[in-house]
Amino acid sequence: MARLIGYMANRSDRLRDALHQERQAIAGLPVDQRGAWGIGFYQGDEVLHKKQPAPDGEPIDWSVIASKIQTDCAVAHLRQATVGGFSVDNTHPFRFRHWLFAHVGTVLSFEEIKDQLREGLPDFLRRNIRGNSDSELFFHLILAGLHTQNQLEGEPSDDAIVGSVSAAVKRIDELSGASTSTLNMILSNGRGMFALRRGSAFGYREHEGLEDPAEPREERVSVRPGSPQLHYTMLVSGGAGVPNGYEALADASLLSLTREQKLKTYPLAP
C-alpha cells in the first residue's frame, strides 16, 4: 500500500523532527515499507527532488531520508507500482515548473482511456510526460485546467484549483464509465498545498510544538533565541484509515492549506 504525505510549516529546519514525531501516522505496515519512494521540496525559488525509484529491500524511515533537507514545504510518496513499472519517470512526486504532485490510487480502465486523456492536453504538457503511470497523466490533466484559466503561473485562486481538479476527475470518470477511481492526491506550488480525497481515507493534523524530536537532547542543534515555536500541518493518505489524532477529510472534497497554516475545504465541483 502506498503512502502520501504533505507537510507545511513555519520553519525550514524541523522537517526531520516532524516526520519522526509523526512516524506512527506516516509509516505503513512492515509489508508496506518495501517500495519506491520520493520526496519533493522547496528551497527558496528552487524545486528539488530526492528519489529511490525501485525497492531496495530496506524499511522506509522518512526522518532518515529527510535528515539533511531544509524546507518548510514538502510532498513525499511511497509507491508500490500498480500502473507503470518502477522507474525514475514513474516515481512520485512529479514536477512541472514550480508544481509538485503525488497520488495514491488507480485510475480505472486506464489502459483503455489513456490515449483519450492525453489527446485533450496542450502540446507543451503532453511533451512533458515522461513515464507511463496513470498518476502523471492525472497531474497533467489538472495542469491543463489551470492553463485554460490562465492560472498555471503565479498564485492561482482556490476557485481555479477546485475547478481544474474537478474537471480532471470528471473527465476520468466520464471516460472510465465509473466514479470509483481512487484519486487521492497532493498538489503544491510552494506557496500553498491542496489535497484531494476521492475514494479512500485521507487525514490531516495541525500541531504546535515538538515533543519528540529525532535527535537525542544532547545532540540537538541549539535554537536561536526568539525563534518561533514549530507549527506544522501534516497530511497523510494511503493507509487503511485516518491515523489516530488526525482529522478526516470528507470524501469528494479538496483541502486548501496556505503558508500561514490556514485551512479551508471545498467540495468537488459537479
Side-chain angles (χ1 to χ4, degrees), residues 3 10 29-31 57 91 95 133 142 157 184 187 209-210 238 248 260:
R3 278 293 183 277
N10 64 336
L29 300 171
V31 69
T91 304
R95 176 189 171 187
S133 72
I142 296 171
S157 66
N184 287 16
L187 174 73
L210 190 62
E260 296 73 35

Side-chain angles (χ1 to χ4, degrees), residues 60 65 93 102-103 120 163 165 193 201-202 211 240 246:
I60 301 295
I65 291 169
H103 159 238
V165 172
M193 187 172 286
F202 208 141
E211 300 81 38
Y246 278 60

Side-chain angles (χ1 to χ4, degrees), residues 8 58 63 75 89 110 149 152 207 232 241 248:
M8 288 198 79
E58 295 298 319
S63 64
V75 178
D89 290 337
F110 179 68
Q149 300 177 75
L152 194 54
H207 190 74
Y232 65 81

Side-chain angles (χ1 to χ4, degrees), residues 137-187:
L137 192 44
F138 180 25
F139 175 35
H140 283 73
L141 289 173
I142 296 171
L143 295 175
L146 291 171
H147 172 66
T148 299
Q149 300 177 75
N150 295 315
Q151 300 258 340
L152 194 54
E153 303 296 336
E155 297 189 36
S157 66
D158 280 10
D159 286 346
I161 297 290
V162 173
S164 298
V165 172
S166 298
V169 171
K170 184 177 181 180
R171 181 63 173 159
I172 289 170
D173 288 348
E174 287 175 344
L175 291 178
S176 66
S179 59
T180 53
S181 293
T182 302
L183 300 174
N184 287 16
M185 68 86 189
I186 290 175
L187 174 73

